[in-house]
Amino acid sequence: MNVVRKFCTFFCVSAAFLCFSVSPVPAFPGINSQLPDVSGQYVYYRDYSFQYEAYIGFLYYDEGTYAMRYFSPAQPLPGIGSSGQTTGVPNSIELLFTVNTGVNYTDMTGEKFITTLSSSDTEIVNYMHDLVYELSARRRQLYEVPVAEPVEVRDEFLQFGGSVLMTYSSAVPVFGLQSIKAADGAMLFELVSVGALASSDDTSFSDFKGFPVPLVDKERNFRTQQAEPSIQVRFNSQQVLLDPQWSQAADNMFMLGDAALLVMSDFSATGDISEIFDVYSRNFCLGSTGTYSDWRNRVVTRTEDSLSVEILYYMPESNAISRDFKILHKKADGSWNVLSLTVFDNAYKANRHYFDVLLESYQP
């Protein structure tokens, strides 16, 4: 079941990141980030500077090695104009590049193209090179960028028409960039997805083809037989309201047919609570193999002792959308509890009150 596999992958990646976080490394030479990147993390942006649908992605291997990719699902063919609304073909340009880690500026020392280039790709490749230099230089000017509260900066950016508003958050890997907007508020460059490769065989970065519009889950048959969940279920100190529709798959795992999965977990971790919240505010929202998180629909809420995350995931192979909820809570003894609820989005929308009551009933 996709939701079972996805939760297990996310939780293992998140737990592993706590180990990596004790040895932070720069996201890019000369860039200081409150939240360090981990090998295999990547970001994708919708680039509205093109007159057709286009995406730009960056993948982090280590401080000196990156991948970059341009993708358009329907790039206009040469000689037919630039609107691309009725005629065009998919085009992907992907390259690996290295940078000099011994300097405090961006010095690209080599590149290797993964895809075959055509003569019409030269202008796009030059634009991709410019982005690496421009985005890294602008981020380098900001010494500290927090995770919880994004930073907005007014700047002049010729590639995007002049005066722009750039928004940064260290929750975003590589350049920490969330968006670039024009002076009139129009979106120019928008973060759409953040993910992490599971292994060297994971092709999710190279396979990304954008999100469908509108982003709608396929029809589901699930309709709850109960107006509200009413039976208390416990795992260690945690409890939540469910009902007989749910089946227990493990001590801490419950399934609602093929519509939803609920897991309660706990773990131990040392460190400042705000730093742990920073880590999980990113890692609870990472796409995994063949699954892409939609950061345009990401909601993060923090209190003194809890972190709540809601986000959508797109699974192109099955044309499915899931809605994922995570609640992380620090207990008085210093340990941590986690509730994870993953629901196919069509099932959630058709039974919104039922699932909202379930979430509100959770006691860590």
Side-chain angles (χ1 to χ4, degrees), residues 11 32 66 128 161 228 247 273 297 317 339 345 347 352 356:
F11 191 79
N32 296 291
Y66 302 82
M128 294 168 71
E228 297 181 355
S247 61
I273 186 170
N297 289 290
E317 184 176 346
L339 172 78
D345 199 44
R352 185 185 300 268
D356 287 351

Side-chain angles (χ1 to χ4, degrees), residues 154 160 162-165 181-186 188:
R154 290 283 179 188
F160 291 98
S163 178
V164 297
L165 178 66
K181 293 181 180 179
D184 62 1
L188 301 173

Side-chain angles (χ1 to χ4, degrees), residues 121-154:
D121 291 333
T122 302
E123 185 176 348
I124 296 174
V125 171
N126 290 337
Y127 173 73
M128 294 168 71
H129 288 161
D130 288 343
L131 278 181
V132 172
Y133 285 103
E134 292 289 342
L135 294 181
S136 60
R138 293 166 194 279
R139 174 60 183 85
R140 199 174 286 114
Q141 294 173 5
L142 305 175
Y143 181 74
E144 288 189 2
V145 173
V147 173
E149 299 179 2
V151 171
E152 294 184 340
V153 178
R154 290 283 179 188

Side-chain angles (χ1 to χ4, degrees), residues 27 31-37 41-43 45 135 138-139 142-153 165-180 191 194 274 277-283 285 295 298 300 302:
I31 291 179
N32 296 291
S33 180
Q34 185 173 323
L35 185 58
D37 295 344
Q41 291 181 344
Y42 65 85
V43 294
Y45 297 89
L135 294 181
R138 293 166 194 279
R139 174 60 183 85
L142 305 175
Y143 181 74
E144 288 189 2
V145 173
V147 173
E149 299 179 2
V151 171
E152 294 184 340
V153 178
L165 178 66
M166 304 182 69
T167 303
Y168 295 93
S169 168
S170 285
V172 184
V174 189
F175 301 119
L177 179 65
Q178 286 190 183
S179 66
I180 302 175
L191 178 70
V194 179
S274 64
F277 283 169
D278 287 348
V279 170
Y280 280 93
S281 67
R282 173 193 286 181
N283 282 58
C285 301
W295 278 52
R298 173 177 175 264
V300 177
R302 298 164 71 137

Side-chain angles (χ1 to χ4, degrees), residues 302-319:
R302 298 164 71 137
T303 68
E304 289 185 359
D305 57 6
S306 68
L307 171 75
S308 299
V309 176
E310 177 182 351
I311 193 168
L312 296 180
Y313 290 92
Y314 172 49
M315 292 159 273
E317 184 176 346
S318 57
N319 192 31

